[in-house]
Amino acid sequence: MYSFFDTHTHLDYLQQATGEPLAQLMQNAQTLEVQKMLIVAVLQRDFKTIEKMTALYPEQLYYGLGLHPLYIKEHQAQDLALLEQALATRSANCTAVAEIGLERAVPELLSEALWRKQCDFFEAQLYLAKKHDLPVNMHSRKSHDQLFSFLKRIDVPKRGVVHGFAGSYDQAKRFVDLGYHIGVGGTITYERANKTRQTIAKLPLDALLLETDSPDMPVFGFQGQPNRPERVAQVFRVLCELRHEPADVIADTLWQNSIAKFV
């Protein structure tokens, strides 16, 4: 059997959505060979919850701390200070600054003031990743070009991943050429997502990571239900259909990519 690493989950929010004990969520994932997961934060108030969840399963769970652009209205300057404090005192299982990034698909977050705030928070968190020598796990919706300009200007030595990528090959290749990975999630399980599927089929295998974004980004056939880490196996199956390498090579390469980035 293969070993999978779900490199982008909101396991805290999945637990809230389903009411299932953490032990049950872990068992469900391990049944389908999901051996490790990265839990990413979206709000400062999530930090402690995620840290406590991870401490219960230190061999399987890792976490990232960050302030998500979708919640830019809620974030305060003090949250950046608290993030820096949390990173300075982090446990060994805190292996990323996440989830950070830019959001341009929600019109109400694109007022001049809020876009400036998004950019300021993203830049500040890139510098925190650089200071603490951590990779970043990034949200980017309709903002690939803007995101790229920040990454080109601010050198984050550990690089990171553009999660849930749904863009063109040229956009993805620019990130890859800069040393960043591309997160492969449920989008490729939809046949209509032709551009993304073609992009993922063409990129170098060593530039890819598997993810679910659970409880978001449902895979095909499970629309309307909370997404779960174990469904990374379905993403993997589709990936194997799109790629030319043998399945065991794909699985091993993705596992090694993930371990190198987030363990």
Side-chain angles (χ1 to χ4, degrees), residues 8-71:
H8 195 106
T9 77
H10 300 277
L11 208 59
D12 51 335
Y13 285 21
L14 176 62
Q15 189 175 20
Q16 290 173 28
T18 65
E20 292 173 49
L22 180 59
Q24 185 63 55
L25 296 177
M26 297 299 294
Q27 186 181 330
N28 293 346
Q30 289 185 322
T31 299
L32 285 175
E33 307 305 329
V34 182
Q35 306 295 352
K36 293 184 185 292
M37 298 176 239
L38 182 76
I39 311 174
V40 296
V42 298
L43 292 154
Q44 185 272 325
R45 65 170 178 260
D46 301 331
F47 293 177
K48 283 279 189 282
T49 303
I50 291 171
E51 191 174 350
K52 287 176 182 172
M53 291 175 81
T54 305
L56 295 171
Y57 293 90
E59 296 300 314
Q60 290 88 35
L61 296 180
Y62 299 83
Y63 68 100
L65 299 178
L67 303 167
H68 194 298
L70 270 175
Y71 300 89

Side-chain angles (χ1 to χ4, degrees), residues 158-183:
K158 288 286 180 73
R159 301 298 193 259
V161 56
V162 182
H163 115 82
F165 187 83
S168 71
Y169 173 77
D170 288 341
Q171 287 173 319
K173 188 70 165 53
R174 289 171 81 200
F175 290 123
V176 171
D177 288 346
L178 210 54
Y180 284 83
H181 282 73
I182 299 296

Side-chain angles (χ1 to χ4, degrees), residues 184-213:
V184 182
T187 302
I188 67 164
T189 65
Y190 294 85
E191 288 189 5
R192 67 173 185 270
N194 203 37
K195 180 173 70 171
T196 303
R197 285 159 64 97
Q198 287 180 358
T199 294
I200 298 305
K202 284 169 63 180
L203 287 171
L205 187 59
D206 62 8
L208 305 181
L209 300 173
L210 283 177
E211 60 169 64
T212 61
D213 198 22

Side-chain angles (χ1 to χ4, degrees), residues 217-228:
M217 275 176 59
V219 299
F220 180 75
F222 293 94
Q223 297 95 314
Q225 301 177 34
N227 198 10
R228 296 171 171 275

Side-chain angles (χ1 to χ4, degrees), residues 110-181:
L110 289 178
S111 68
E112 188 175 342
L114 283 176
W115 175 245
R116 170 48 46 205
K117 189 179 175 187
Q118 277 200 58
C119 291
D120 288 347
F121 270 67
F122 182 47
E123 179 169 308
Q125 292 179 96
L126 289 176
Y127 278 116
L128 285 177
K130 183 172 183 171
K131 177 179 178 178
H132 294 282
D133 202 27
L134 290 168
V136 289
N137 199 313
M138 296 173 293
H139 173 97
S140 178
R141 226 162 33 153
K142 296 192 174 176
S143 62
H144 292 332
D145 294 342
Q146 294 87 349
L147 196 88
F148 178 80
S149 69
F150 276 97
L151 300 180
K152 198 166 190 319
R153 180 167 57 84
I154 302 168
D155 178 45
V156 179
K158 288 286 180 73
R159 301 298 193 259
V161 56
V162 182
H163 115 82
F165 187 83
S168 71
Y169 173 77
D170 288 341
Q171 287 173 319
K173 188 70 165 53
R174 289 171 81 200
F175 290 123
V176 171
D177 288 346
L178 210 54
Y180 284 83
H181 282 73

